[in-house]
Amino acid sequence: MYRVTFVDADGQARELTANEGQSVMSVAVANGIDQILAECGGSCACGTCHCYVDETWTERLPAPDDSEQGMIECLMSPTERSRLSCQLKMTAALDGLVVHLPREQY
């Protein structure tokens, strides 16, 4: 089991556990993280699982592929730390990942 921490827009942190290969989005949905809407169910087609990767983690993640980058460009308030949580799969290398949640997805 790996750890991922979700920090809401008000600074409240919630640490959850994830299985190998589980998406950060599915961890959020399974545990009632309301800011992750996941309307497309994780198919990288809606952008409602947008999160901001903590700056201490940005260099440790692979770059978004073209599909994810295209969706990020359509988001409200994207930054260089924006990612779609459906595209972040948990591995040992990401144990302890911290993501910040936008106040709203749209």
Side-chain angles (χ1 to χ4, degrees):
M1 298 294 276
Y2 305 121
R3 298 169 294 116
V4 58
T5 299
F6 296 87
V7 181
D8 71 19
D10 294 321
Q12 297 289 345
R14 186 168 167 201
E15 183 178 276
L16 300 171
T17 57
N19 294 314
E20 175 80 27
Q22 186 176 13
S23 73
V24 171
M25 179 211 74
S26 68
V27 174
V29 170
N31 289 280
I33 301 292
D34 294 334
Q35 295 89 345
I36 299 294
L37 304 177
E39 291 177 352
C40 73
S43 61
C44 195
C46 71
T48 60
C49 65
H50 176 223
C51 65
Y52 302 104
V53 174
D54 192 85
E55 56 194 32
T56 61
W57 283 91
T58 53
E59 297 298 319
R60 298 188 235 180
L61 295 173
D65 65 18
D66 290 341
S67 177
E68 181 183 2
Q69 188 59 48
M71 289 302 306
I72 289 170
E73 291 169 5
C74 297
L75 297 172
M76 285 180 48
S77 307
T79 72
E80 67 282 347
R81 297 185 302 121
S82 290
R83 293 300 300 265
L84 299 183
S85 60
C86 68
Q87 300 301 296
L88 301 175
K89 309 295 186 199
M90 293 303 296
T91 64
L94 296 184
D95 186 27
L97 177 67
V98 177
V99 296
H100 298 264
L101 304 170
R103 189 164 299 280
E104 55 192 15
Q105 293 288 353
Y106 42 69

